[in-house]
Amino acid sequence: MIRKKIFNNTKSAFKLKSNSELDRAIFLFSMMNYSSLVKAGSALTKFSLKLHLPVETLIKKTIFEQFCGGVTEEDCKPVTNEMYDENLHSILDYSVEGKETEEEFDAAMRKKLSLIEYASKSEEISFAMFKPTGIGRFEIWEKVSEKISLSEDEKEEWKRVKDRVNTLCSKAHELNVRLYADGEETWMQTAADDLMEEMMRKYNTGDKVLIYNTLQCYRWDRLDYLKQLHEKGKKDGFKIGAKIVRGAYMEKENARAKKLGYPSPICESKEATDVNFNSTLSFCLNHLEDISVFIGTHNEVSSYLALQIMEDKGLSLEDSRIWFSQLYGMSDHISYNLARKGYNAVKLVPFGPVRDVVPYLLRRAQENTSVKGQTGRELSLLREEKKRRRGDKSTKHHRE
């Protein structure tokens, strides 16, 4: 039976944090507990950057250092090596968002190719990833998803997007690197799903699963989508890589559905999302002969469920078809304690120029405030660790 206290070990969870880093984390998560503060801070940050006010140093020393590994891959090396010493793997994510031109998309693809190569040479980097709208205009993904007929120029543009995706998947296959496509908004996601299915058919043959697609389980249709994909895979002889997460665009999705008058694609409550995520997780773990699963969650209940299923099935802790993942700077109590026990655990480590990763960082802060209880749990564990260290110090002092 999985003991329900594995994630309470704060000494292991925050082993790599200095006292000052612990204090910074406590300060940041305290701020994130107040959604009005996050909204005001986000608006102020955008405004300050627009006016070129000297706020980059402040951003770098606070939210950037909490949630990012550095400005370049080289900056991230000490972080990823230190984590790997604790059996915790990494994924490097060049988190620059909101690009629009073909030149920028080509440059982003080249960057992702270099990260695939970097992963192939670094045992601590276990996955590479890309964001579909990072290598093609949102509007073109949207038009293809909604089956709107394309002009000749747009057909050319869409071909270039498909070629970029294939170039990345082909390189990952050639270098034996796992690669996943991130999930995005529903109204562009169908085109990404179809394209990633095509890539799985092409590259996930034999026993190796290298290409993964992301399923956002706050969408009520995802379990059915996965079951259909599983049937296709069995019938046509390809394996599935499923990265499962709860999801990141809930407010935007609900607002758009309301505005345009269609049923919301999002589960009606947090509880319904939890049920959907856990059902999707169970389905993956019950079909490991066909599906490799990447469990992206900060939820302890879902993590315990996965551990329990693995134990019931007698699966090895380091079964290469099962990975657990959390974001850098968050849920260290899950990541480090899983790694310490011998499970496949990985941190998504964003990096990039401070100014360019601000949109990513603001999204992170807003997501933290919208997940009920998430920030409070982080905060209580960080404070508990601070208290434990104080106790250790006074005990040591007392002995001396």
Side-chain angles (χ1 to χ4, degrees):
M1 187 71 183
I2 295 293
R3 284 184 304 123
K4 288 282 198 262
K5 291 195 176 162
I6 176 177
F7 300 140
N8 290 354
N9 185 338
T10 62
K11 184 179 181 179
S12 159
F14 305 117
K15 186 180 174 182
L16 300 183
K17 276 199 185 332
S18 66
N19 287 336
S20 62
E21 287 169 337
L22 200 63
D23 287 340
R24 183 189 63 206
I26 289 170
F27 168 75
L28 284 170
F29 282 109
S30 300
M31 296 295 101
M32 285 176 207
N33 242 348
Y34 300 98
S35 56
S36 54
L37 263 182
V38 171
K39 275 187 183 138
S42 299
L44 191 60
T45 305
K46 286 177 188 167
F47 182 68
S48 304
L49 287 171
K50 205 173 257 182
L51 293 184
H52 297 279
L53 297 176
V55 292
E56 281 188 43
T57 307
L58 177 64
I59 294 168
K60 189 168 196 298
K61 286 284 159 211
T62 53
I63 192 167
F64 182 88
E65 285 187 357
Q66 176 68 26
F67 294 118
C68 294
V71 173
T72 65
E73 295 98 308
E74 285 306 307
D75 285 348
C76 296
K77 238 186 173 139
V79 172
T80 58
N81 286 341
E82 212 179 21
M83 291 197 296
Y84 194 56
D85 287 343
E86 302 298 320
N87 191 37
L88 184 54
H89 297 244
S90 299
I91 303 163
L92 290 182
D93 174 16
Y94 186 63
S95 297
V96 174
E97 300 181 358
K99 301 301 182 189
E100 284 293 320
T101 69
E102 290 295 296
E103 293 72 30
E104 287 171 328
F105 294 139
D106 283 335
M109 182 194 70
R110 287 192 296 273
K111 185 70 179 173
K112 296 297 178 189
L113 282 172
S114 75
L115 287 171
I116 292 170
E117 288 185 23
Y118 187 77
S120 73
K121 296 178 192 137
S122 316
E123 59 181 354
E124 73 276 13
I125 312 289
S126 55
F127 281 79
M129 54 84 66
F130 72 97
K131 197 171 163 64
T133 55
I135 53 172
R137 253 180 349 117
F138 188 98
E139 289 73 19
I140 198 81
W141 288 101
E142 184 181 4
K143 277 192 167 181
V144 174
S145 291
E146 299 190 342
K147 297 188 169 45
I148 296 166
S149 57
L150 305 180
S151 67
E152 287 308 311
D153 283 351
E154 285 170 335
K155 282 177 188 167
E156 283 297 311
E157 183 187 354
W158 177 238
K159 184 183 181 302
R160 287 193 296 274
V161 174
K162 289 202 298 185
D163 287 346
R164 286 183 201 114
V165 171
N166 186 58
T167 300
L168 293 175
C169 293
S170 169
K171 178 60 77 177
H173 184 257
E174 178 198 326
L175 297 179
N176 201 29
V177 171
R178 298 180 191 87
L179 172 73
Y180 71 76
D182 222 352
E184 301 197 53
E185 290 91 337
T186 51
W187 58 100
M188 63 68 61
Q189 188 62 45
T190 305
D193 289 344
D194 292 347
L195 192 47
M196 292 315 292
E197 180 185 324
E198 200 180 305
M199 296 298 108
M200 286 184 213
R201 283 175 183 276
K202 198 168 178 180
Y203 299 113
N204 285 356
T205 51
D207 282 339
K208 217 159 253 178
V209 178
L210 293 172
I211 307 302
Y212 289 65
N213 192 23
T214 298
L215 280 69
Q216 301 196 90
C217 296
Y218 65 179
R219 284 182 59 174
W220 48 261
D221 66 348
R222 291 295 83 180
L223 181 55
D224 282 342
Y225 162 76
L226 179 62
K227 286 176 176 174
Q228 286 163 15
L229 187 61
H230 178 232
E231 285 304 317
K232 288 182 195 172
K234 279 202 305 189
K235 183 167 149 285
D236 300 340
F238 67 92
K239 305 265 188 200
I240 292 152
K243 178 194 173 202
I244 60 169
V245 298
R246 274 172 170 74
Y249 306 96
M250 185 170 71
E251 285 165 15
K252 201 191 274 189
E253 291 281 0
N254 283 330
R256 186 178 189 266
K258 193 174 176 186
K259 186 182 169 190
L260 299 180
Y262 61 86
S264 173
I266 305 300
C267 292
E268 60 186 6
S269 65
K270 167 77 169 67
E271 291 70 29
T273 295
D274 290 342
V275 169
N276 202 35
F277 182 92
N278 292 341
S279 303
T280 306
L281 166 66
S282 303
F283 185 83
C284 292
L285 291 174
N286 284 321
H287 295 90
L288 283 175
E289 66 283 1
D290 308 310
I291 302 173
S292 289
V293 63
F294 176 111
I295 305 160
T297 185
H298 294 202
N299 184 291
E300 290 175 33
V301 175
S302 295
S303 302
Y304 280 127
L305 173 67
L307 303 188
Q308 192 61 59
I309 294 171
M310 287 175 74
E311 187 178 277
D312 292 347
K313 289 183 161 297
L315 296 166
S316 156
L317 302 192
E318 52 192 28
D319 190 308
S320 63
R321 299 166 298 181
I322 308 166
W323 285 81
F324 293 86
S325 174
Q326 289 77 40
L327 298 163
Y328 182 72
M330 286 171 65
S331 297
D332 288 347
H333 63 297
I334 297 179
S335 313
Y336 284 91
N337 283 312
L338 284 174
R340 193 171 63 92
K341 291 281 185 189
Y343 292 93
N344 294 321
V346 61
K347 279 285 197 193
L348 179 69
V349 181
F351 74 98
V354 177
R355 179 175 286 272
D356 289 341
V357 298
V358 163
Y360 167 85
L361 291 169
L362 296 182
R363 196 153 56 78
R364 219 32 350 119
Q366 280 153 359
E367 278 168 29
N368 260 322
T369 57
S370 67
V371 179
K372 197 178 164 202
Q374 173 74 45
T375 308
R377 176 68 169 145
E378 295 274 359
L379 208 44
S380 70
L381 289 160
L382 288 159
R383 284 176 175 149
E384 202 176 300
E385 173 59 8
K386 191 168 182 182
K387 191 175 150 192
R388 187 195 68 77
R389 287 184 190 185
R390 273 204 215 104
D392 272 7
K393 208 170 166 186
S394 64
T395 309
K396 188 181 171 198
H397 183 70
H398 186 67
R399 277 204 303 265
E400 285 165 359

